[in-house]
Amino acid sequence: GVVVRFWSNESGGWRQVGELDANEHSRTIRSLAWRGDGDFLAVGSFDSNASVFRIVRTEKGMRFPKVTRLEGHENEVKGVAWSTSGEFLATCSRDKSIFIYDVCPADDGCEVEYEVS
C-alpha cells in the first residue's frame, strides 16, 4: 500500500511517531507540504490526485484523518504548496495545469476556486 511514515529524533533516538495511510492513492506519493501552522498536510500523487489530511497530535504520536481528496488533473500531480496565509493550496501537474484551491474548514471540505492553464 501507499504509506508515508513520520519519524522524530527528539529523545536522542529515532522513533516512528506517525503513519499516514494514503491507500486511496493508487500510485506513488510524489510530493507533500505542511501548512504553515502545522495542522494540515497536503499530498500529491502520480495517480493525478491530491489529498489534504488533518494532523492530530496525541501522546502516542500523530494521526492523519483525511479532510478531502482533490481531483481534476489529467496527469500526475508534481507539486503541492500552501500559500503563506494557509488559505490556499496550489497543485501543479504534468498536464501543465495549476489548480488553486480555497481551503475551507475541515467539515466544509475544499473547493476549486479557479484554474490556471
Side-chain angles (χ1 to χ4, degrees):
V2 179
V3 175
V4 179
R5 291 184 176 89
F6 296 86
W7 299 82
S8 172
N9 191 17
E10 288 181 7
S11 309
W14 288 102
R15 71 178 184 90
Q16 185 175 332
V17 294
E19 185 170 285
L20 172 78
D21 178 1
N23 280 324
E24 71 175 57
H25 291 284
S26 60
R27 298 191 58 202
T28 304
I29 299 299
R30 169 98 176 162
S31 61
L32 57 87
W34 298 94
R35 194 168 80 170
D37 61 7
D39 290 340
F40 293 91
L41 180 69
V43 173
S45 171
F46 274 98
D47 69 3
S48 76
N49 299 302
S51 297
V52 175
F53 297 88
R54 179 180 291 279
I55 299 154
V56 178
R57 291 166 185 80
T58 68
E59 290 180 11
K60 295 181 181 181
M62 298 187 300
R63 291 184 305 106
F64 302 90
K66 183 178 77 173
V67 174
T68 192
R69 180 179 169 105
L70 307 170
E71 301 176 343
H73 287 294
E74 295 177 13
N75 211 314
E76 69 194 57
V77 175
K78 295 180 70 105
V80 291
W82 295 95
S83 65
T84 305
S85 69
E87 184 178 355
F88 299 100
L89 175 68
T91 60
C92 66
S93 172
R94 188 175 188 153
D95 64 15
K96 300 180 182 175
S97 67
I98 297 170
F99 291 0
I100 300 174
Y101 298 89
D102 181 2
V103 183
C104 306
D107 34 344
D108 291 335
C110 299
E111 298 177 14
V112 175
E113 188 68 16
Y114 48 87
E115 173 184 351
V116 179
S117 293

